């Protein structure tokens, strides 16, 4: 790793960048424009976020707060848990534990810095981690392994049985850093009694682990507060999702990103609720006027991403979609599968319920929320079985009136690269032209954004979609 | 005497299995060492661990799997699709790792494209990644589901008594294998690494009665042989991901070393402990197979695996460790990285090799690296 990168902690640098970004608009427009000249590699993402209007500014505040909590955790006597995007942070917030979710942190580095998180990725390889492991973890994980970031206290994840590459990365980190480790493990099925019992036992055992390592009991009032907030967030998201089905889609192209990123950072925390409220207002206004959420106002195409997005510098994927008049209908990260979700009856109607009546019912609720997190729900078993990836993707694409589907991931994803060709064929049979992107969502050395975007545009052109 | 083991280890369809097949015996293939083979045996079915040797092209497999996947499941798919596994009556796909568990879908899809390539019995066998009591309960249920599926599909009886007898037979084979393994630990080694490994691999292929009987005879032969090998040679251990390729071990030994121990996805590492012969046999199997954390698929048990390897190094007086993994095997790739640091810190020379599965397509490169490693140990 370049020595200068070890000089300042990774998360501290992110935090300072975010503070600076959130202050840019404090002055006049002229001052803002002048300031952009001095941040040639940062202005792209800053502009993209500010162009989202008030939700953009709120989102900046959210990520700034998230990273600030990590950086200041020790001085505030709070324990820090390294975790993964597909683990609902709601429980950690309820237990006053500061989560460091590696993949979203890698995204921040990738979209904000020209250097991305590449040096940290390489550090992982330097110390023996497999270079073919998923870049989403390798990015920020490298900084924590290099001790070029805040110290974490323990690791808690939920990807065993769902994504080996993910589990393996965290289990490597636990060994390397000599930190306590807890991994939830999921069976291949979602809703049978045996699985439900297993979910409950494993999740409760994890709570015991967290209580042991924090020295604090789970606070029932706090958990109720978090779950109530979670239910409120769900309701707001469902309303947005309902409107997203309209043609044209009134939702601005970047809002999907804000929805899932917000969920990964602050599920159950009021900051995220406020963001959703603002977003809903804008989507509602657009819907009322029959307007597309795209900047150009004209929706030419509706694309459903069956896996994840591409997180190159400046959020270029979203800029491309916006410029070409393509609505982003969400991806595997977007949806939570609550029992009240507008799409739930199309995916065999097995959503989670939030019941805050007793401690037991609350733990059961959060257990089932977690069991439906992205990946955890739909790639735990064979992709073509009920409740799994194909059923979910085909149902959502149909419901959202998608014109096409796009797969993007990372070469480190053994799970989806083992069956993406199969699901692409199946989606084609369902009538959705489907494109497989071969790049790496977090590492442009695998394939530059220029090539990735050219291939994506070729797909739109050759299949007669645009 | 070694021939029967070599034949089993070097061919997809060994003679002994073909003969049994001609007598009407059923054969069911499985993909992972976490499958309790005793269950199949109790159903009078020959359990056969699936292997990808004899693959010459991946043209079929590559059209189902993506490019960033380990070549082992691809080789299995290739062989199945081209009909090389025609003799299987069934296949069981376990959740060994992500690439392997997706063989379920790839094989099923290929089965509809290549008529006859999908056996009529096809079972997805879920294996927990941890061993808390509730995980063992889940595993017991998975084993019971498998038993039920076998009973229904093949119209066979699988009684607790039959499972107990199978456990006893398998345990007997394990004891013989420990004994054979211990003969490699002495200063005067009486069996080459390649032959010892052939025995281990054959243990997952041959009908168990035959294997046990032949192993007892072979063990007796080895004990009484006057041939001593490994004198003044460096004693190596081979660890890491899937390898059932005798040629890799032979290549190492051709470079002037002797392989005295392994800790590989195939082989003795899966036979390290016995199944309890009393009580509920299904619970005993679940307990034994899940408590075996020898594979990095069991997340969070690195220190146990390290201790196991260190113990073997000590017992077998190992001079150096070769850590191999198939490209895109993140589990073993990372584990090897951690293990290398830990062992090197103890002064044990290690070498990591990343390679493709298959019959040593990279012989020259690997040979050169082994030679360089041996030079390093010499110095």
């Amino acid at each position: 790793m370049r020595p200068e990168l070890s000089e300042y902690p990774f998360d501290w640098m992110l935090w300072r960048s975010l503070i600076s970004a959130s202050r840019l608009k404090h002055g006049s427009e002229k001052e803002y424009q002048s300031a952009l000249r001095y941040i040639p590699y940062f202005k792209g993402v800053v502009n993209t976020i500010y162009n989202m209007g008030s939700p953009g500014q709120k989102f900046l505040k959210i990520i700034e707060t998230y990273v600030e909590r990590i950086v200041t955790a020790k001085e505030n006597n709070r324990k820090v848990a390294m975790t993964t995007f597909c683990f609902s942070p709601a429980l950690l917030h309820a237990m006053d534990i500061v989560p460091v979710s590696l993949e979203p942190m890698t995204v921040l580095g990738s979209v904000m810095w020209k250097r991305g998180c590449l040096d940290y990725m390489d550090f992982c390889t330097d110390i023996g981690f497999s270079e073919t492991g998923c870049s989403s973890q390798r990015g920020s994980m490298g900084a924590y392994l290099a001790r070029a970031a805040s110290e974490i206290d323990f690791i808690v994840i939920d990807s065993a049985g769902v994504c080996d590459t993910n589990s393996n990365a965290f289990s490597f980190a636990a060994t390397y850093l000599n930190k306590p480790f807890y991994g939830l493990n999921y069976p291949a099925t979602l809703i049978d009694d045996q699985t439900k019992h297993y979910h409950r036992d494993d999740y409760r055992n994890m709570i015991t682990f967290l209580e042991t390592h924090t020295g604090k009991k789970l606070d029932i009032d706090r958990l109720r507060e978090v779950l109530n907030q979670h239910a409120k967030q769900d309701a707001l998201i469902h309303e947005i999702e309902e409107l997203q089905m309209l043609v044209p889609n009134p939702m601005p192209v970047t809002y999907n990103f804000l929805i899932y990123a917000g969920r990964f950072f602050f599920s159950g925390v009021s900051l995220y609720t406020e963001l959703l409220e603002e977003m809903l207002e804008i989507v509602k206004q657009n819907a009322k006027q029959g307007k597309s959420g795209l900047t150009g106002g004209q929706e030419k195409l509706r694309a459903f991403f069956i896996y994840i997005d591409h997180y190159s510098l400046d959020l270029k994927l979203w800029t491309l979609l916006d410029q070409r008049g393509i609505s982003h209908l969400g991806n595997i990260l977007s949806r939570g599968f609550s029992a009240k979700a507008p799409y739930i009856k199309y995916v065999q109607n097995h959503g989670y319920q939030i019941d805050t009546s007793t401690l037991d019912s609350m733990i059961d609720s959060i257990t089932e929320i977690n069991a439906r997190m992205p990946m955890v729900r739909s790639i735990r078993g064979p992709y073509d079985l009920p409740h799994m990836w194909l059923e979910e993707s085909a149902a959502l694409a149909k419901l959202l009136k998608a014109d096409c589907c796009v797969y993007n991931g990372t070469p480190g994803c053994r799970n989806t690269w083992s069956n993406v060709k199969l699901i692409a064929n199946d989606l084609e049979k369902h009538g959705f032209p489907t494109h497989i992107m071969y790049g790496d969502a977090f590492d442009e050395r695998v394939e530059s954004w220029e090539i990735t975007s050219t291939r994506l545009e070729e797909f739109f052109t050759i299949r007669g979609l645009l | 005497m070694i021939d029967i083991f070599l034949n089993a280890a070097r061919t997809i369809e060994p003679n002994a299995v073909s003969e049994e097949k001609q007598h009407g015996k059923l054969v069911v293939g499985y993909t992972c060492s976490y499958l309790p083979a005793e269950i199949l045996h109790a159903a009078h079915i020959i359990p056969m661990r699936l292997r990808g040797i004899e693959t010459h092209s991946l043209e079929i497999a590559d059209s189902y799997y993506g490019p960033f996947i380990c070549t082992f499941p691809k080789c299995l798919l290739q062989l199945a699709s081209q009909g090389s596994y025609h003799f299987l009556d069934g296949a069981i796909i376990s959740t060994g790792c992500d690439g392997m568990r997706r063989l379920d879908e790839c094989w099923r899809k290929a089965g509809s494209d290549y008529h006859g390539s999908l056996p009529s019995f096809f079972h997805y066998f879920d294996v927990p990644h941890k061993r808390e009591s509730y995980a063992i309960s889940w595993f017991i249920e998975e084993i019971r589901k498998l038993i039920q599926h076998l009973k229904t599909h093949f119209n066979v009886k699988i009684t607790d008594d039959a499972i107990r007898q199978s456990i006893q037979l398998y345990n007997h084979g394990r004891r013989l294998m420990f004994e054979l393994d211990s003969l490699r630990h002495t200063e005067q080694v009486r069996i080459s690494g390649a032959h010892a490994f052939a025995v281990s691999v054959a243990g997952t292929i041959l009908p168990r009665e035959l294997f046990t009987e032949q192993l007892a005879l072979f063990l007796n032969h080895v004990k009484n042989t006057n041939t001593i090998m490994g004198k003044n040679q460096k004693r190596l251990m081979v660890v890491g991901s899937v390898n059932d390729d005798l040629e890799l071990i032979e290549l190492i030994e051709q470079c002037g070393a002797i392989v005295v121990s392994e800790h590989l996805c195939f082989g003795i590492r899966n036979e390290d402990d016995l199944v309890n012969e009393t009580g509920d046999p299904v619970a005993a199997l679940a307990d034994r197979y899940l408590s075996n954390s020898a594979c990095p698929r069991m997340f969070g048990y690195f220190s146990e695996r390290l201790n196991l390897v260190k113990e073997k190094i000590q017992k077998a007086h190992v001079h150096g460790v070769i850590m191999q993994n198939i490209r895109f095997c993140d589990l073993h790739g990372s584990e090897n990285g951690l293990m290398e640091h830990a062992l090197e810190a103890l002064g044990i020379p290690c070498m990591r090799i990343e390679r493709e599965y298959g019959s040593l397509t990279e012989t020259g490169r690997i040979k050169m690296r082994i030679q360089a490693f041996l030079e390093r140990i010499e110095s």
Side-chain angles (χ1 to χ4, degrees):
Chain A
M1 195 158 74
R2 280 179 288 169
E4 59 268 33
L5 289 179
S6 342
E7 291 291 316
Y8 299 100
F10 159 73
D11 36 23
W12 184 88
M13 282 193 285
L14 274 180
W15 180 46
R16 299 313 300 178
S17 302
L18 289 163
I19 288 176
S20 307
S22 63
R23 285 180 187 162
L24 275 172
K25 281 272 186 178
H26 286 182
S28 65
E29 183 59 22
K30 192 177 170 189
E31 283 170 320
Y32 171 66
Q33 292 301 334
S34 308
L36 292 184
R37 287 209 301 270
Y38 297 100
I39 47 170
Y41 295 126
F42 192 35
K43 70 178 179 186
V45 71
V46 167
N47 254 333
T48 307
I49 293 174
Y50 277 125
N51 286 343
M52 297 176 196
S54 172
Q57 292 190 32
K58 184 128 264 155
F59 183 67
L60 260 182
K61 190 70 206 160
I62 281 184
I63 44 182
E64 184 200 317
T65 309
Y66 183 82
V67 184
E68 183 182 8
R69 286 190 188 184
I70 298 169
V71 174
T72 58
K74 289 285 169 263
E75 63 196 66
N76 293 322
N77 272 330
R78 299 169 81 192
K79 296 285 182 188
V80 179
M82 181 184 274
T83 186
T84 182
F85 73 101
C86 57
F87 182 90
S88 171
L91 179 78
L92 302 176
H93 292 308
M95 296 185 78
D96 200 27
I97 297 165
V98 177
V100 181
S101 189
L102 288 188
E103 301 85 353
M105 295 289 277
T106 304
V107 169
L108 292 182
S110 298
V111 302
M112 285 168 54
W113 296 330
K114 187 170 166 55
R115 63 175 183 273
C117 287
L118 306 182
D119 290 82
Y120 304 123
M121 281 181 202
D122 293 348
F123 180 78
C124 293
T125 314
D126 291 349
I127 58 165
F129 187 67
S130 165
E131 64 169 355
T132 57
C134 181
S135 51
S136 66
Q137 287 96 36
R138 274 195 293 129
S140 54
M141 187 171 90
Y144 288 89
L145 298 185
R147 277 125 179 141
S150 305
E151 198 192 339
I152 60 135
D153 295 297
F154 43 81
I155 297 176
V156 57
I157 57 156
D158 61 343
S159 45
V162 175
C163 174
D164 282 346
T165 321
N166 178 306
S167 288
N168 183 52
F170 287 94
S171 127
F172 180 94
T175 305
Y176 189 80
L177 296 172
N178 193 23
K179 298 290 179 190
F181 170 84
Y182 193 96
L184 289 169
N185 174 195
Y186 284 95
T189 50
L190 179 69
I191 58 154
D192 54 280
D193 284 345
Q194 182 199 332
T195 300
K196 271 189 182 169
H197 283 125
Y198 181 82
H199 284 170
R200 294 180 69 177
D201 291 342
D202 205 13
Y203 203 85
R204 277 166 168 73
N205 201 28
M206 182 190 69
I207 291 174
T208 308
F209 168 89
L210 292 173
E211 287 177 337
T212 308
H213 290 284
T214 54
K216 290 181 199 166
K217 293 298 279 181
L218 176 59
D219 178 338
I220 182 163
D221 294 329
R222 200 167 166 147
L223 180 60
R224 183 170 289 121
E225 195 184 310
V226 164
L227 283 173
N228 283 333
Q229 203 62 235
H230 200 296
K232 208 168 163 187
Q233 292 166 357
D234 284 349
L236 292 163
I237 294 170
H238 297 157
E239 227 177 311
I240 296 175
E241 284 166 338
E242 194 87 55
L243 295 168
Q244 196 183 18
M245 295 178 204
L246 294 172
V247 179
N249 171 13
M251 191 165 151
V253 75
T254 44
Y255 279 19
N256 278 299
F257 175 68
L258 302 195
I259 287 178
Y260 66 73
R263 182 188 285 129
F264 299 153
F265 290 130
F266 280 131
S267 232
V269 179
S270 61
L271 266 174
Y272 178 44
T273 318
E274 290 161 24
L275 170 71
L276 292 167
E277 282 166 347
E278 287 198 12
M279 283 161 59
L280 176 61
E281 269 318 298
I282 293 169
V283 179
K284 269 184 178 170
Q285 279 169 28
N286 287 344
K288 212 170 177 182
Q289 296 165 31
K291 258 177 62 180
S292 155
L294 295 160
T295 312
Q298 199 195 346
E299 180 181 86
K300 296 178 186 163
L301 189 73
R302 296 166 71 89
F304 181 67
F305 284 67
I306 62 168
Y307 198 47
I308 61 171
D309 293 321
H310 193 286
Y311 308 99
S312 60
L313 181 69
D314 300 343
L315 296 164
K316 285 184 192 130
L317 169 69
W318 288 270
T319 308
L320 172 91
L321 297 175
D322 200 38
Q323 285 170 350
R324 299 289 185 273
I326 303 167
S327 269
H328 189 311
L329 300 173
N331 59 22
I332 199 171
L333 310 175
S334 306
R335 286 164 186 88
F337 298 92
S338 129
K340 293 175 183 163
Y343 47 82
I344 202 73
K345 60 182 175 224
Y346 302 95
V347 288
Q348 302 211 17
N349 224 358
H350 286 287
Y352 62 80
Q353 309 267 3
I354 294 183
D355 176 356
T356 56
S357 50
T358 64
L359 178 61
D360 245 12
S361 72
M362 285 196 282
I363 296 177
D364 284 349
S365 302
I366 204 162
T367 300
E368 289 305 306
I369 289 173
N370 215 82
R372 283 160 182 78
M373 286 295 283
M375 294 202 323
V376 180
R377 177 189 185 277
S378 44
I379 63 170
R380 55 166 70 188
Y383 86 101
D384 52 353
L385 291 191
H387 318 294
M388 297 295 139
W389 199 23
L390 173 61
E391 178 194 273
E392 172 185 313
S393 303
L396 289 171
K398 190 177 170 199
L399 192 65
L400 292 160
K401 303 170 192 78
D403 298 305
C404 63
C405 294
V406 178
Y407 167 87
N408 183 58
T410 79
C413 185
R414 297 300 147 250
N415 202 330
T416 59
W417 274 110
S418 292
N419 57 14
V420 68
K421 291 181 180 175
L422 313 182
I423 196 172
N425 279 338
D426 290 336
L427 289 170
E428 291 275 352
K429 285 177 194 158
H430 277 83
F432 301 107
T434 302
H435 176 61
I436 300 174
M437 287 161 73
Y438 278 73
D440 186 317
F442 307 88
D443 186 350
E444 281 196 57
R445 294 172 300 187
V446 173
E447 184 182 86
S448 70
W449 169 249
E450 286 66 32
I451 299 293
T452 301
S453 57
T454 303
R455 288 184 176 167
L456 191 55
E457 296 212 52
E458 264 172 15
F459 163 70
F460 294 138
T461 311
I462 289 169
R463 300 299 295 267
L465 296 164
L466 272 185
Chain B
M1 200 161 278
I2 186 72
D3 289 351
I4 187 165
F5 301 115
L6 288 175
N7 175 264
R10 285 199 168 121
T11 47
I12 287 294
E13 190 183 357
N15 301 336
V17 173
S18 307
E19 281 164 23
E20 293 278 351
K21 193 71 192 153
Q22 278 168 9
H23 291 105
K25 197 100 185 205
L26 298 167
V27 182
V28 169
Y30 63 97
T31 55
C32 175
S33 59
Y34 282 74
L35 186 277
E38 288 90 335
I39 296 295
L40 295 169
H41 182 267
H44 301 290
I45 294 169
I46 300 176
M48 175 186 270
R49 181 134 180 222
L50 295 177
R51 306 166 59 212
I53 54 167
E54 300 180 25
T55 312
H56 303 293
S57 142
L58 290 175
E59 59 181 0
I60 300 175
D62 277 336
S63 59
Y64 296 90
Y65 272 114
F68 312 114
I69 303 297
C70 155
T71 32
F72 180 58
K74 284 188 177 181
C75 285
L76 298 186
L77 181 63
Q78 179 71 28
L79 291 176
S81 308
Q82 71 192 29
S84 304
Y85 276 125
H86 64 96
F87 58 90
L88 289 182
D89 298 288
I92 301 169
I93 311 297
S94 298
T95 51
C97 64
D98 284 340
M100 284 307 291
R101 77 179 165 110
R102 294 299 184 199
L103 182 61
D104 167 77
E105 294 103 309
C106 290
W107 196 342
R108 280 193 283 115
K109 293 283 172 184
S112 56
D113 296 335
Y114 294 89
H115 186 67
S117 62
L118 186 73
S120 60
F121 177 85
F122 201 71
H123 186 91
Y124 188 81
F125 185 69
D126 210 357
V127 183
H129 290 265
K130 58 204 302 183
R131 52 184 204 215
E132 276 78 359
S133 57
Y134 49 88
I136 291 179
S137 302
W138 162 19
F139 196 39
I140 289 172
E141 280 310 304
E142 290 301 320
I143 297 173
R144 294 202 192 284
K145 277 187 213 166
L146 172 65
I147 291 174
Q148 195 51 45
H149 193 184
L150 288 165
K151 279 179 174 175
T152 319
H153 185 89
F154 292 114
N155 194 23
V156 289
K157 280 185 183 166
I158 307 175
T159 62
D160 278 1
D161 278 344
I163 300 174
R164 265 187 216 107
Q165 281 171 24
S166 298
I167 289 173
Q168 284 167 7
L169 178 70
Y170 271 73
N171 276 347
H172 180 48
R174 287 182 184 115
R175 287 191 197 95
L176 296 175
M177 284 172 82
F178 301 156
E179 210 178 331
L180 182 71
D181 202 44
S182 67
L183 296 178
R184 303 163 74 193
H185 299 164
T186 51
E187 198 184 333
Q188 298 186 328
V189 183
R190 289 184 160 81
I191 179 170
S192 72
H195 283 182
F197 190 56
V199 171
S200 293
V201 173
T204 67
I205 310 289
L206 291 174
R208 195 67 179 191
E209 287 83 355
L210 178 69
F211 171 74
T212 314
E213 180 191 307
Q214 289 297 316
L215 179 54
L217 294 173
F218 182 63
L219 187 60
N220 208 27
H221 163 77
V222 174
K223 277 182 188 166
N224 295 312
T225 185
N226 291 325
T227 314
I228 303 298
M229 47 191 92
K231 222 173 180 185
N232 301 323
Q233 286 181 310
K234 290 296 162 199
R235 300 165 66 94
L236 299 184
M237 179 180 191
V238 186
V239 304
S241 71
V242 65
N243 175 59
D244 55 342
D245 195 349
L246 293 192
E247 288 175 44
L248 177 66
I249 310 293
E250 283 168 348
L251 184 72
I252 295 169
E253 297 193 323
Q254 280 161 17
C255 291
I258 183 153
V259 175
V260 289
S261 188
E262 303 96 29
H263 191 74
L264 293 162
C265 176
F266 267 87
I268 193 80
R269 93 169 183 196
N270 306 310
E271 309 293 343
D272 272 356
D273 44 2
L274 301 175
V275 183
N276 189 345
E277 294 179 11
T278 58
D280 175 2
V282 173
L285 286 170
D287 191 43
R288 183 266 173 192
Y289 276 84
L290 211 56
S291 67
N292 182 346
S293 304
C295 173
R297 75 173 297 281
M298 302 298 281
F299 301 110
Y301 300 100
F302 172 77
S303 54
E304 283 181 29
R305 288 189 286 273
L306 177 65
N307 287 339
L308 206 60
V309 168
K310 283 193 321 204
E311 201 182 301
K312 285 185 176 183
I313 288 172
Q314 211 171 8
K315 264 192 203 165
H317 309 286
V318 167
H319 296 125
V321 181
I322 293 181
M323 302 168 155
Q324 62 87 38
N325 72 279
I326 309 300
R327 185 153 180 81
F328 300 120
C329 177
D330 301 316
L331 305 187
H332 278 285
S334 307
E335 179 103 337
N336 286 350
L338 288 170
M339 217 168 261
E340 181 186 29
H341 281 281
L343 296 180
E344 287 278 359
L346 296 171
I348 300 158
C350 298
M351 178 183 70
R352 289 168 69 189
I353 302 175
E354 192 180 64
R355 63 190 194 92
E356 293 297 346
Y357 176 84
S359 187
L360 285 194
T361 46
E362 311 155 284
T363 310
R365 178 179 75 89
I366 292 176
K367 189 173 181 180
M368 192 170 70
R369 292 204 57 205
I370 295 166
Q371 286 168 337
F373 181 56
L374 288 173
E375 275 179 34
R376 186 194 148 196
I377 298 177
E378 297 286 350
S379 65

